[in-house]
Amino acid sequence: MIGCVGLYGLASFNTARRVREIGIRKTLGASTRDILQLLITQFLRPVLLANLIAWPLAWLAMRSWLSTFDQRIGLGPVYFLGATALTLLIAVGTVAGQALAVARSEPAKALRHE
């Protein structure tokens, strides 16, 4: 939950900083979908990188913890892929609201802002 609040704050700050750029992109013909794709992929890259760094560490920790049990499950990549998918879904849900609000705004207001 704390990570979502931090990600939402970062998305809010970044989109507020890029209002003019987004206004210019929309004026030059970018669609709402293009703006959403630009903003969401910008935030998904660090989330994916963090997951790739966390996979080996989590695998080592889980292997050592599961070895203490008499009956244990096999540790496969499905668990890690599921956790990554859930993380990406939460990140997209957190950033999408802010990105959608900025992507739907009128470019004239953004360009007159300053």
Side-chain angles (χ1 to χ4, degrees):
M1 192 59 105
I2 293 172
C4 287
V5 171
L7 189 61
Y8 183 79
L10 186 62
S12 174
F13 173 73
N14 196 13
T15 53
R17 207 181 69 197
R18 296 176 71 178
V19 168
R20 285 184 59 100
E21 175 193 346
I22 293 169
I24 291 171
R25 284 180 186 268
K26 287 192 67 126
T27 302
L28 293 175
S31 66
T32 302
R33 181 175 175 254
D34 295 334
I35 302 296
L36 279 175
Q37 184 178 4
L38 174 77
L39 293 173
I40 289 176
T41 54
Q42 178 187 2
F43 287 104
L44 289 186
R45 284 185 191 140
V47 173
L48 279 173
L49 182 64
N51 272 295
L52 290 177
I53 292 171
W55 281 2
L57 299 173
W59 184 77
L60 289 172
M62 290 301 295
R63 190 180 68 171
S64 123
W65 182 61
L66 287 173
S67 69
T68 62
F69 291 100
D70 290 335
Q71 298 176 353
R72 54 185 156 297
I73 61 170
L75 193 58
V78 175
Y79 300 112
F80 298 105
L81 292 174
T84 299
L86 183 63
T87 304
L88 291 175
L89 185 67
I90 290 171
V92 167
T94 302
V95 174
Q98 183 70 26
L100 190 61
V102 172
R104 286 188 174 174
S105 66
E106 293 181 29
K109 289 182 181 178
L111 295 175
R112 259 191 272 150
H113 180 59
E114 289 183 15

